[in-house]
Amino acid sequence: MSTETIAPTLTAKDFATDQEVRWCPGCGDYSILAQVQKVMPTLGIARENIVIISGIGCSSRFPYYMNTYGMHSIHGRATAVASGLKASRPELSVWIVTGDGDGLSIGGNHTIHLLRRNFDVNVLLFNNQIYGLTKGQYSPTSEEKKVTKSTPMGSIDHPFNPLALALGADATFVARTMDRDPKHLQAMLIRTNQHKGASFLEIYQNCNIFNDGAFEIFTEKGSKPTETLFLEQGKPLLFGAANDKGIKLDGFKPVVVDLNLGHSADDLWIHDEQDIYKAQILTRIFDDPKIEGHLPRPFGVFYQTNRACYEDVMAAQLEEAKTRKPADLDKLLKGNEVWTIQ
Amino acid sequence: MVRKQEVLQDVVIKFAGDSGDGMQLTGTQFTNNTAMLGIDLSTFPDFPAEIRAPIGTLPGVSGYQLRFSSDRIFTPGDSCDVLVAMNAAALKTNLSALKKGGKIIVNTDGFDGKNLRLANYPEGENPIENDSLANYEVIKMDVTKMTREALKDFTMGMKEKDRAKNMFVLGFLYFMYNRDMENTIGFLKEKFGKKPEIFESNVKVLQAGYNYGDTTEIFTTTYTVEKAKMDPGTYRSIMGNQAVSLGLIAASQKSGLPMFLGSYPITPASDILHELAKYKNFGVRTYQAEDEIAAITSAIGAAYGGSLGVTTTSGPGMALKGEAMGLAVMLEIPLLIIDIQRGGPSTGLPTKTEQSDLLQAYYGRNGECPMPIVSASTPADCFDAVYEAVRISVQHMTPVIFLSDGYIANGAEPWKFPNSESLRPIPVKFKTQLGDQEEKLQPYSRDEKLARPWAIPGTAGLEHRIGGLEKQNVTGNISYEPENHQLMVKIRQEKVDKIAEYIPEQKLDSGPEKGKILVLGWGSTYGAIKSAVAELQAKGHAISHAHLRYVRPFPKNLGDIIKNFDTVLIPEINNGQLIKIIRDVYYVDAKGYNKIMGVPITKTELLMKLEEMLAE
């Protein structure tokens, strides 16, 4: 994102608005808002250059609570609105706040196109695996057989794997974090901002009203160490309460090994954010935690690469065109062939 | 031999052939050649929806109608004097539009057994061999054979050679109408400059066509049409979509707002995207979005950032953009939505013209969602009309719909283009700081036009949030208060209605202020109405013509004009749309004249209707 440097004299409070926050008490969105407000003043971006664009859904109320520029647009279209803004105003720091319904269902098309075009924007996808604002229908990330108001006999839909989808659309930055781990969330927000290009950050977010505990197994103290895998650049894939379990590649297949049973950390998969092939395997580690022998769910930066940003190439073309042929309105209006009537 | 030279006043030529025969290019070249001579003209291209329908079939016929005259003309003509038919299918589809006694120039090679079969002529019947064309003057030429003959020294393949056939016909017509061919040679040089063999072969065939006419003694007469009595000035030829593009660039330059076009390809609007994509040197950003919705919402994003946001589309795309238009109305943000109408509903008739999106433009959104509508009446008028649409949009902080249609989008006419200095300035002011009394920005405070401030991201101290939810007047905070919603609905309506105070009053295009019939039109019916009304006025009838540019709001004196006539007739290329609004607004028993065939209303048809009404 934008690397403009100014003295960070603002605090989290400067990013709060006078509007009453209207999410349900206990909603995971509160934590995300708090972390974003904490991180924003540290980024070195002038407040007036920050724009938060959202679509529709619980998460999309976000801009109203951030004292920056903001637009609460229409369902699914935040990514498209942001594309036009970023294309025409490359110097702005543009953040998109969307949800699993907004960004992957009604707005799925715009999400993949934004990623492939690689606008230098930050996509924060709040995934709660449910439609909250419309009061509890299944979403495109809800698990199969899920019983909701619209699926009394269980959902038939196979869910999206958001990070695999993002990578499939050639996203240049793909990461996952969770509402209940403020430190990791902050770190991921900072990484998201640092990346020049379209950054896709999936945030597991608890909807305590319609889908309470959807991510409990990853977020609660008791199960978190064995059920999650925190990725760190250049470090082996370790997990477990005593960091005594690891992931090793057996051919293309990731397998769990126990360091107490003769394996050493040297045998393990070393995380490399730049490796697209490994990133694809990582995003595919998406097992249902209820299934015996499942792999832990990875969190962190899966993949990061550099590719030209749409708005930069567009601006360069404009500059080149101006150099080649300076704009002359009268010449344009006249065209190539004219005749005169006396 | 001595040839007779005949001076004609008015000629209509229809070029018809297979979509691959290059008829559009031939027509355009003859048009430009005509324009350079100061002859008035009007064109009507007519092509199939399929890019390459099976060769030789009836659906594959592509046509280009050109009318030129030493009088001022306003339509491409109801019927043709000359029909160029490159194959049997072209003859069959277009013969009914040819005047009795008219000339048919046929390529005999296009009338072999296969072509006749494909054109569904009965076995053994060849219209150019039997007496079925006895009422016409048939000029038979084996264009294919003569083209190949002219290119016998060229090394290119037969297929390549045959591609120059249209040049032979063009050359022949240049001979027939006493034309110089320099402009076409110049055009070919530009187009094929890097491929000298293609350039030379085209010129060779062009000259062969001319020489064929010149040396064959059967053509005893050539024709000329003299300069038209047009206003003094410098002219160029322009097509509607081109004029829209230039109007947008001019408005962008005069307002100082960089332009952003979000667009998704759709017939017949795509040419605006193609045209504008060429002008990056004017700071124009063209963005081919992933769909119609992204096209408009990206333009909304750009407008929010301070650009002149534009989106171009046609009927089906308009339908998809509906929700986003509502967002623009709620955001009260400038935005241009350009709808080049075509036959509907659904995919309908993509390449045929219709005026059937008016009610969609007027009402086609959820909620109370008023938007100004500006329409263009001729190809050149697209420039002024779109320029006006931009002015209204940025000065009144509102999205504006601009309506054109396939007929004027692809039609051409002479245009006395303006000097950039003569264009009306479009001053735009962004809000840059808080006022003396303001503690923070009040995004929904308003000026005398009821326009709200345009405060763009990057402006320190004016950070604010806007969105699609109902908001409190002045503060812009979300509000579900019953009274506030009613107030905001009324304000948004009043803001659009108030534009009537900032647009010119309606003028009669022709005719007395009081009379028997007022013909009230909008959009591309202009030429047909003007021509039909002029004939009746010449016969002494009390009939007048008013043509609307501003369809919403109406000019404030429109009701007074209507009251001065016994009857109002509203001709439209739809099933009666403007008429519903006029009846609703002015309680007048207006009559409709509606043609829904995918083609323009002709002068003759309208004249018959009006004569009927006058006889009542």
Side-chain angles (χ1 to χ4, degrees):
Chain A
M1 281 299 318
S2 177
T3 51
E4 191 178 335
T5 49
I6 54 150
T9 53
L10 301 176
T11 65
K13 270 189 188 159
D14 295 305
F15 282 88
T17 66
D18 58 359
Q19 297 297 295
E20 184 195 344
V21 183
R22 294 195 205 177
W23 288 311
C24 308
C27 175
D29 289 352
Y30 282 95
S31 166
I32 304 173
L33 177 64
Q35 307 327 315
V36 172
Q37 286 175 341
K38 258 181 221 157
V39 162
M40 282 287 182
T42 70
L43 300 178
I45 308 167
R47 192 170 57 174
E48 65 270 19
N49 286 336
I50 297 171
V51 187
I52 302 175
I53 310 241
S54 66
I56 295 295
C58 292
S59 57
S60 287
R61 294 297 175 94
F62 205 90
Y64 288 116
Y65 310 136
M66 289 293 300
N67 190 11
T68 61
Y69 281 90
M71 188 197 293
H72 179 221
S73 75
I74 45 177
H75 205 10
R77 319 302 170 200
T79 32
V81 172
S83 300
L85 178 63
K86 187 69 185 179
S88 56
R89 296 284 307 276
E91 76 280 16
L92 297 173
S93 170
V94 178
W95 298 66
I96 295 152
V97 174
T98 183
D100 41 320
D102 190 63
L104 298 178
S105 193
I106 192 167
N109 193 32
H110 309 308
T111 300
I112 54 176
H113 288 279
L114 174 117
L115 295 175
R116 82 177 163 90
R117 289 187 181 114
N118 199 33
F119 283 104
D120 182 19
V121 297
N122 303 320
V123 182
L124 309 184
L125 185 122
F126 296 16
N127 182 6
N128 58 13
Q129 299 187 345
I130 198 80
Y131 280 83
L133 198 63
T134 50
K135 302 188 178 170
Q137 301 81 11
Y138 75 105
S139 90
T141 55
S142 299
E143 64 276 17
E144 279 176 35
K145 300 187 184 132
K146 188 172 188 68
V147 174
T148 70
K149 281 182 184 160
S150 57
T151 50
M153 291 177 72
S155 164
I156 302 164
D157 289 26
H158 181 72
F160 266 134
N161 173 337
L163 297 193
L165 179 74
L167 217 51
D170 276 351
T172 56
F173 178 94
V174 169
R176 180 187 290 138
T177 184
M178 58 176 84
D179 55 359
R180 300 246 171 116
D181 189 338
K183 284 228 163 78
H184 190 259
L185 175 50
Q186 286 178 28
M188 287 302 106
L189 288 169
I190 290 167
R191 285 292 311 272
T192 294
N193 178 67
Q194 277 168 353
H195 174 65
K196 165 91 177 161
S199 311
F200 187 82
L201 177 62
E202 180 189 25
I203 307 172
Y204 281 172
Q205 173 245 323
N206 189 43
C207 171
N208 57 323
I209 304 296
F210 295 108
N211 201 18
D212 196 23
F215 304 110
E216 208 165 32
I217 195 162
F218 308 125
T219 59
E220 293 319 296
K221 264 189 192 154
S223 53
K224 188 176 176 184
T226 49
E227 294 296 341
T228 61
L229 172 68
F230 282 83
L231 305 168
E232 283 182 74
Q233 176 66 359
K235 300 265 174 71
L237 301 192
L238 280 169
F239 68 104
N243 255 351
D244 54 356
K245 285 184 178 154
I247 307 270
K248 174 184 132 163
L249 270 177
D250 180 9
F252 292 111
K253 196 175 156 44
V255 291
V256 174
V257 294
D258 193 329
L259 298 190
N260 302 319
L261 298 176
H263 291 278
S264 89
D266 296 342
D267 302 335
L268 300 179
W269 171 343
I270 305 296
H271 184 46
D272 179 3
E273 294 168 2
Q274 309 279 332
D275 189 329
I276 183 65
Y277 302 106
K278 281 185 169 173
Q280 301 198 43
I281 297 172
L282 269 182
T283 62
R284 287 292 165 188
I285 302 181
F286 196 60
D287 297 347
D288 181 343
K290 289 194 275 295
I291 291 171
E292 187 74 22
H294 64 272
L295 293 168
R297 189 72 54 97
F299 290 82
V301 178
F302 287 55
Y303 182 62
Q304 190 274 325
T305 191
N306 295 317
R307 191 168 79 227
C309 294
Y310 187 100
E311 66 276 13
D312 294 338
V313 180
M314 187 182 226
Q317 283 194 352
L318 258 62
E319 280 315 306
E320 192 191 333
K322 283 175 192 167
T323 320
R324 270 198 223 161
K325 194 175 174 185
D328 181 339
L329 184 55
D330 279 307
K331 234 177 163 174
L332 176 71
L333 296 178
K334 191 173 171 204
N336 295 327
E337 292 181 316
V338 300
W339 66 96
T340 301
I341 307 254
Q342 304 291 339
Chain B
M1 70 179 278
V2 181
R3 272 204 183 87
K4 209 169 83 189
Q5 277 216 17
E6 203 176 310
V7 177
L8 299 174
Q9 195 184 47
D10 199 307
V11 179
V12 180
I13 303 180
K14 176 102 182 227
F15 301 86
D18 198 73
S19 338
D21 282 340
M23 289 297 99
Q24 301 299 326
L25 186 131
T26 313
T28 316
Q29 280 304 305
F30 198 89
T31 299
N32 291 350
N33 188 291
T34 306
M36 300 294 290
L37 297 172
I39 302 166
D40 199 6
L41 62 89
S42 173
T43 73
F44 179 43
D46 170 25
F47 33 76
E50 295 77 17
I51 300 302
R52 292 275 189 276
I55 293 176
T57 60
L58 296 169
V61 175
S62 169
Y64 185 101
Q65 186 165 320
L66 163 67
R67 179 184 178 198
F68 51 105
S69 172
S70 53
D71 271 343
R72 291 307 314 274
I73 50 168
F74 303 96
T75 74
D78 296 354
S79 51
C80 318
D81 302 292
V82 179
L83 171 64
V84 175
M86 295 298 281
N87 64 14
L91 178 74
K92 193 164 201 185
T93 9
N94 289 287
L95 188 60
S96 62
L98 187 65
K99 284 177 193 158
K100 288 276 167 304
K103 290 185 175 59
I104 307 173
I105 299 170
V106 294
N107 170 23
T108 52
D109 187 51
F111 287 79
D112 61 9
K114 189 181 173 200
N115 273 294
L116 290 166
R117 249 192 330 277
L118 287 168
N120 294 339
Y121 279 102
E123 195 60 38
E125 200 174 294
N126 186 348
I128 59 170
E129 299 299 344
N130 60 29
D131 57 2
S132 64
L133 301 177
N135 285 329
Y136 309 97
E137 183 189 332
V138 182
I139 301 167
K140 288 191 253 184
M141 311 190 283
D142 192 338
V143 178
T144 312
K145 192 175 143 198
M146 289 189 285
T147 299
R148 288 178 186 173
E149 179 63 25
L151 297 180
K152 63 175 189 291
D153 297 335
F154 284 72
T155 56
M156 56 184 61
M158 204 61 84
K159 241 187 171 172
E160 292 263 282
K161 287 183 179 175
D162 284 355
R163 227 174 260 163
K165 274 188 311 198
N166 60 336
M167 287 296 123
F168 190 92
V169 176
L170 184 61
F172 177 74
L173 284 165
Y174 282 157
F175 156 76
M176 203 167 136
Y177 290 95
N178 267 312
R179 300 291 177 82
D180 183 289
M181 305 197 289
E182 280 312 307
N183 82 306
T184 294
I185 294 171
F187 163 82
L188 292 171
K189 177 135 211 167
E190 187 147 308
K191 190 170 162 101
F192 300 118
K194 284 178 191 147
K195 298 173 186 158
E197 204 189 16
I198 308 270
F199 164 68
E200 280 160 28
S201 62
N202 271 286
V203 172
K204 179 102 189 177
V205 177
L206 182 74
Q207 281 161 342
Y210 190 98
N211 295 340
Y212 172 74
D214 202 19
T215 52
T216 313
E217 303 217 336
I218 44 175
F219 306 110
T220 54
T221 313
T222 62
Y223 306 93
T224 52
V225 170
E226 296 190 335
K227 258 184 198 199
K229 290 154 214 77
M230 292 161 66
D231 291 343
T234 308
Y235 288 77
R236 63 173 283 185
S237 169
I238 194 139
M239 297 195 296
N241 276 350
Q242 234 181 342
V244 168
S245 309
L246 297 190
L248 288 170
I249 293 173
S252 161
Q253 295 283 307
K254 295 298 256 189
S255 63
L257 298 172
M259 194 201 313
F260 178 93
L261 171 74
S263 185
Y264 186 76
I266 186 169
T267 304
S270 306
D271 281 338
I272 302 174
L273 169 62
H274 308 161
E275 189 70 14
L276 287 172
K278 292 182 205 158
Y279 300 115
K280 295 184 184 358
N281 55 333
F282 284 86
V284 177
R285 287 178 158 83
T286 53
Y287 179 70
Q288 184 177 315
E290 58 272 23
D291 61 25
E292 293 281 358
I293 299 171
I296 183 171
T297 44
S298 62
I300 288 173
Y304 176 61
S307 285
L308 171 59
V310 182
T311 188
T312 49
T313 189
S314 187
M318 276 299 271
L320 286 166
K321 291 180 199 294
E323 188 196 9
M325 284 188 232
L327 174 65
V329 166
M330 274 303 239
L331 297 179
E332 302 194 34
I333 207 164
L335 181 72
L336 258 283
I337 299 117
I338 293 176
D339 177 7
I340 313 297
Q341 301 165 95
R342 67 189 215 188
S346 186
T347 310
L349 307 167
T351 59
K352 306 294 174 193
T353 200
E354 208 160 272
Q355 295 183 296
S356 49
D357 292 347
L358 179 62
L359 293 181
Q360 180 178 216
Y362 229 90
Y363 301 116
R365 292 168 292 282
N366 63 307
E368 298 289 346
C369 195
M371 281 168 70
I373 302 168
V374 176
S375 71
S377 53
T378 73
D381 185 54
C382 287
F383 180 89
D384 295 320
V386 85
Y387 192 87
E388 219 4 39
V390 171
R391 184 189 68 79
I392 291 171
S393 180
V394 298
Q395 294 189 336
H396 294 260
M397 288 294 283
T398 177
V400 173
I401 293 173
F402 171 84
L403 293 178
S404 165
D405 65 33
Y407 176 30
I408 53 180
N410 292 312
E413 67 176 345
W415 179 39
K416 197 170 133 183
F417 56 91
N419 179 302
S420 67
E421 267 179 29
S422 69
L423 294 169
R424 183 176 176 183
I426 307 178
V428 175
K429 267 198 190 140
F430 295 128
K431 191 167 172 84
T432 54
Q433 56 186 35
L434 294 174
D436 294 339
Q437 307 296 316
E438 287 174 314
E439 270 183 28
K440 61 174 198 169
L441 180 74
Q442 305 293 344
Y444 284 77
S445 57
R446 292 167 194 285
D447 67 9
E448 71 286 353
K449 295 187 181 87
L450 297 181
R452 71 176 196 87
W454 195 359
I456 62 171
T459 317
L462 301 187
E463 293 85 354
H464 67 285
R465 276 65 54 194
I466 54 177
L469 285 171
E470 185 58 286
K471 61 256 311 135
Q472 195 177 42
N473 192 28
V474 184
T475 66
N477 293 333
I478 299 173
S479 167
Y480 302 139
E481 288 292 317
E483 287 78 12
N484 177 73
H485 178 52
Q486 176 145 341
L487 174 72
M488 291 302 280
V489 167
K490 295 285 187 187
I491 288 177
R492 287 188 287 263
Q493 181 67 54
E494 195 189 341
K495 186 175 93 167
V496 170
D497 292 344
K498 234 180 163 37
I499 292 167
E501 294 168 25
Y502 299 88
I503 58 174
E505 290 203 343
Q506 182 65 41
K507 287 197 179 78
L508 288 174
D509 188 73
S510 69
E513 275 175 29
K514 276 180 197 275
K516 199 162 178 196
I517 301 176
L518 172 70
V519 186
L520 179 62
W522 70 282
S524 69
T525 51
Y526 177 78
I529 299 176
K530 187 178 181 73
S531 310
V533 167
E535 275 194 29
L536 293 169
Q537 286 164 349
K539 289 180 188 163
H541 293 290
I543 180 169
S544 299
H545 173 203
H547 215 80
L548 295 172
R549 168 176 286 173
Y550 305 94
V551 188
R552 188 178 203 182
F554 289 127
K556 52 185 185 215
N557 64 329
L558 183 61
D560 299 333
I561 290 180
I562 288 173
K563 274 183 214 140
N564 285 329
F565 292 86
D566 300 344
T567 314
V568 178
L569 179 76
I570 302 182
E572 294 180 85
I573 314 173
N574 59 37
N575 203 22
Q577 301 204 358
L578 177 68
I579 192 170
K580 290 191 175 72
I581 304 166
I582 292 288
R583 283 174 174 165
D584 175 39
V585 176
Y586 300 110
Y587 312 109
V588 56
D589 181 21
K591 308 286 182 224
Y593 179 72
N594 304 92
K595 180 175 180 183
I596 323 150
M597 301 185 184
V599 290
I601 293 173
T602 65
K603 179 199 75 177
T604 315
E605 292 162 347
L606 189 58
L607 200 57
M608 277 168 64
K609 169 74 182 173
L610 287 166
E611 277 168 343
E612 223 172 79
M613 290 173 72
L614 286 164
E616 272 167 18

